[in-house]
Amino acid sequence: MKIDGIPFKQTGYFSKIMCDYLEEVDSLKPFYNRFPAFENFEAQIIEKQKNFPSSHREILSQALTNQYAQIETSAGTKANIASLKEENTFTIVTGHQLNLFTGPLYFLYKIIATINLTKALQKKHSQYNFVPVYWMATEDHDFDEINYFTLNGKKIQWNKDASGGVGRLDTKGLELLSETLAAELGGGKNAEYLKTLFANAYLNHANLTEATRFLANELFKDYGLVIVDGDDAALKRLLKPYVQSDLVEEKSFKAVSTTIEALNALPENYGIQVNPREINYFYLIDGVRERIIEKEGVYFVNDTNIAFTKDEVLTELENRPERFSPNVVCRPLYQEVILPNLCYIGGGGELAYWLELKAYFDTVGVTFPMLLLRNSALLVTGKQSEKIAKLDLNISDLFLKQNTFINKKIRAISNIDVDFSPQKELLKVQFEALYDLATQTDQSFLGAVKAQEVKQVKGLENLEKRLLKAQKRKLKDHVIRITEIQNDLFPNKSLQERQQNFSQFYLEYGDQLIPALVENLKPLSQEFTILEFN
């Protein structure tokens, strides 16, 4: 396998705020705790150790033991769950929605980055234990975001009427989808494994939470991955004081709003990822996950007939904390309250909203985790590598916008010079002489010279464009071939990892796929990885 990498900034697919974060620009430093470098983890460990109650560990370990009661659990995962009781055990966490059959390929990259970082930390800090955690977004209600995946360019979609937290959705109706997938996969050993994996996950489990836990466990159990479902009454009890401060004092709204003002005041004009509400919790019961809204002392559940007085809502929180579901602003806090966590690994959009939250964490006295941009990768098959070599392409050029990519390649292979820069430079020299002459006469002549220069430069640019267009027609076959390989690697003109499902690569590489990714993805590399398979 050939491994290469290019800086995230050079790909053109990552936001300015993420690129600046990776470069540790000074203006962003107030919005995070420590940058995720090996030398900073010791201080993060000490801070979290002092600020994480031992009682939370016992509750966490027992809750996870209960969650895994019906799952065939590997020895590594069992040991990790048990070790969470110990004062010297810490977690590295990633979170993701319950996407059907893992959804986009980067689901794997998130978890692998989490696994690999724990391995690396274990080598450097052997006196501690480090546990990789996947936090399932079971309480999320955006079903349309998770009900499909893409295989061979086709969208395989679960059509179902859904409401409430997606983790509680039953899996009825997925038999038909299993048949569709089987037909698309075809035959062969790897295809048969994928068919069985889908069927065992979704046809043999009652709801989406259980199905996703089985699936992720099956893929990563050999690495000791621990999968957490936050929709758990025992764990929600630890969140009660923070929910109360939100209901009564609007604490998260005030702190995050102040942070947003500070971000907006920066000259970089980053934009805001999420805006807080006065209350950042939903009310969650079967089939319902709706916002809690306070009006004149009454707490309404949006789009329902449910309402509470202040005393009633606090009594409900005390007796049924599992019914209070954090939104995107408060879910990160919930995670850090129940886990002895050091670092959260997420995508660029996720980390952008985490940067809005540090002041809120400080306000409620919870340690803010380190934030690590997940691995991103371009997987290039052996056949694709051969095509790239034959076309004499630089893989980094494939990241360019398609028109720019084609123009650059045509200029490179054309037997005539399509670049009129020398002519433009000569024109500039000639007009400098005319400007010298113009300064010796009246202002009207100076304006005429300037107008003529603009006209001449524009004329050269138009000729350059026409010549390039003519060369594209002449080299049409080559344009088609380079466009095809770029479209293969960047489907829908987007990153491969955001479009394709892991099954597409499992068909070709089978049970070697995940070990190869684990071996070659380096969580702290700060580069976009290109993996060319043999």
Side-chain angles (χ1 to χ4, degrees), residues 422-528:
Q423 289 84 352
K424 292 175 191 174
E425 190 60 36
L426 180 61
L427 195 66
K428 181 181 177 182
V429 172
Q430 291 174 331
F431 271 92
E432 281 176 358
L434 286 174
Y435 280 123
D436 288 340
L437 182 62
T439 57
Q440 300 173 37
T441 183
D442 64 53
Q443 195 69 25
S444 63
F445 185 65
L446 187 64
V449 172
K450 179 63 179 174
Q452 191 61 223
E453 181 186 22
V454 170
K455 182 179 178 180
Q456 295 288 336
V457 169
K458 190 170 183 179
L460 279 175
E461 288 174 347
N462 287 336
L463 285 173
E464 186 178 35
K465 288 177 183 177
R466 291 185 65 177
L467 181 58
L468 182 60
K469 193 173 181 180
Q471 285 300 94
K472 284 183 185 178
R473 287 196 298 268
K474 183 178 178 181
L475 300 169
K476 181 180 177 182
D477 289 345
H478 196 86
V479 170
I480 290 172
R481 289 197 297 273
I482 65 173
T483 301
E484 284 178 348
I485 189 65
Q486 189 185 44
N487 289 341
D488 277 349
L489 292 170
F490 294 83
N492 296 323
K493 295 181 173 57
S494 179
L495 289 178
Q496 174 194 81
E497 63 185 34
R498 299 176 186 171
Q499 299 290 318
Q500 294 180 332
N501 182 259
F502 86 99
S503 57
Q504 186 134 0
F505 294 92
Y506 194 95
L507 282 173
E508 186 154 357
Y509 301 107
D511 57 12
Q512 295 305 304
L513 175 64
I514 288 177
L517 294 174
V518 170
E519 181 180 352
N520 292 291
L521 294 177
K522 309 301 179 187
L524 299 181
S525 69
Q526 293 191 31
E527 281 193 323
F528 192 106

Side-chain angles (χ1 to χ4, degrees), residues 11 41 66 84 121 144 175 190 225 237 276 291 297 504 519:
T11 68
F41 273 92
N66 295 340
L84 288 167
L121 289 171
D144 290 343
E175 297 85 358
N190 294 339
L225 181 69
R237 289 189 188 101
R291 291 192 293 120
Q504 186 134 0
E519 181 180 352

